[in-house]
């Protein structure tokens, strides 16, 4: 079936600390794993993605790791800043890698100054 | 490019009324998605189209919901009759290809049914 589990649902860190959000997926054929950031009252926007042919991807303070064997992937934010506070969603393709994305439940990240 | 364009941005309607949400995908994108976001259920995929053809509508809640895509640059999501539990943010999104390409969201239509 199609299922994406995301943890934790809420995360509070001090400014400058790291934050890690984890997701698991069910379809072993999935090959694309994006992460979206949604600020209050705004639309979800892509911040980073990874494809199944690599294990890690970095973009400045954010990185994503993928473990295909365990079927999980994680978002890592280092040196967090108050403007990182938002809801973060992971996603994975639906069955058979069709065009649709199934989203996790979301993680509300609060970065305390 | 102007991105995915949705209208209306906000709508308040009375229970029983018909609601029509509109979407213009990014030019050249051939996949279009309708998502619904609520606090309780998160981001749910309602339906998606590829090359104007509905591919998967398994997320459409019930017969009160219908969606159309008459051409590559326009889609509608209709709720008739509307109910208070339909209150949510409805996002339209589009992507260039199926299977592992980034989807881009519109600003959303904030629907309140009273």
């Amino acid at each position: 079936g199609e299922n994406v589990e995301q943890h934790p649902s809420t995360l509070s860190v001090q400014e400058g600390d790291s934050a890690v959000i984890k997701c698991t997926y069910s379809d072993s054929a999935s090959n694309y794993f994006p992460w979206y950031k949604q600020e209050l009252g705004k639309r979800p926007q892509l911040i980073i993605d990874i494809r199944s042919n690599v294990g890690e991807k970095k973009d400045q303070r954010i990185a994503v790791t993928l473990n295909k064997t365990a079927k999980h992937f994680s978002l890592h934010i280092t040196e967090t800043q108050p403007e990182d506070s938002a809801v973060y969603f992971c996603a994975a393709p639906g069955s058979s890698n069709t065009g649709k994305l199934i989203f996790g439940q979301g993680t509300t990240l609060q970065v305390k100054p | 490019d102007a991105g995915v364009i949705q209208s209306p941005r906000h709508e308040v309607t009375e229970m029983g009324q018909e609601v029509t949400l509109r979407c213009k995908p990014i030019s050249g994108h051939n996949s279009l998605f309708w998502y619904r976001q609520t606090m309780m259920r998160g981001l749910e995929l309602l339906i998606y189209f590829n090359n104007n053809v509905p591919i998967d509508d398994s997320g459409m809640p019930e017969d009160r919901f219908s969606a159309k895509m008459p051409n590559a640059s326009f889609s509608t999501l209709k709720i008739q009759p509307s109910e208070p539990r339909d209150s949510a943010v409805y996002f339209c999104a589009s992507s260039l290809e199926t299977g592992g390409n980034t989807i881009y969201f519109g600003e959303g239509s904030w629907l309140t049914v009273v």
Side-chain angles (χ1 to χ4, degrees):
Chain A
E2 304 172 335
N3 195 32
V4 179
E5 295 289 333
Q6 182 172 347
H7 300 279
S9 58
T10 61
L11 180 59
S12 181
V13 299
Q14 288 294 135
E15 182 177 359
D17 288 349
S18 296
V20 181
I21 304 170
K22 299 181 179 180
C23 285
T24 59
Y25 59 97
S26 56
D27 188 349
S28 57
S30 294
N31 61 0
Y32 174 65
F33 307 92
W35 285 89
Y36 285 78
K37 176 183 180 182
Q38 186 179 27
E39 297 178 344
L40 189 62
K42 302 287 184 64
R43 71 182 115 184
Q45 292 192 290
L46 179 76
I47 54 171
I48 194 169
D49 57 17
I50 191 169
R51 299 187 186 271
S52 58
N53 57 344
V54 297
E56 184 176 7
K57 183 177 179 180
K58 289 183 179 180
D59 183 2
Q60 299 181 351
R61 295 186 298 107
I62 59 173
V64 57
T65 58
L66 172 64
N67 183 326
K68 288 184 63 179
T69 302
K71 291 192 285 187
H72 67 69
F73 56 111
S74 300
L75 177 71
H76 304 252
I77 307 174
T78 58
E79 300 172 29
T80 53
Q81 302 168 3
E83 51 264 40
D84 294 331
S85 297
V87 180
Y88 292 81
F89 293 93
C90 62
S95 58
S96 304
N97 278 319
T98 55
K100 63 184 182 182
L101 285 178
I102 305 301
F103 283 83
Q105 297 88 340
T107 297
T108 301
L109 173 64
Q110 181 186 26
V111 180
K112 299 178 181 177
Chain B
D1 197 308
V4 177
I5 299 173
Q6 291 187 244
S7 65
R9 291 293 314 279
H10 299 272
E11 178 148 347
V12 180
T13 190
E14 291 186 344
M15 183 174 64
Q17 296 297 306
E18 178 180 292
V19 173
T20 299
L21 308 178
R22 298 173 177 81
C23 176
K24 181 181 187 302
I26 293 172
S27 178
H29 282 192
N30 61 352
S31 292
L32 182 141
F33 309 84
W34 282 101
Y35 284 88
R36 177 172 69 176
Q37 186 174 34
T38 61
M39 288 293 292
M40 292 298 294
R41 301 173 71 89
L43 268 169
E44 302 174 274
L45 178 65
L46 301 179
I47 185 170
Y48 84 96
F49 297 83
N50 183 242
N51 293 322
N52 313 338
V53 176
I55 303 299
D56 185 345
D57 65 355
S58 59
M60 295 286 263
E62 49 198 271
D63 292 345
R64 297 185 297 107
F65 286 69
S66 62
K68 294 182 180 179
M69 191 166 186
N71 57 62
S73 59
F74 183 66
S75 176
T76 60
L77 177 67
K78 186 175 293 186
I79 308 172
Q80 167 63 21
S82 58
E83 296 181 4
R85 61 193 168 117
D86 301 330
S87 298
V89 183
Y90 291 82
F91 287 103
C92 178
S94 70
S95 70
L96 182 56
E97 295 178 0
T98 58
N101 280 71
T102 304
I103 70 169
Y104 297 88
F105 285 85
E107 298 279 5
S109 291
W110 297 65
L111 174 65
T112 302
V113 183
V114 297

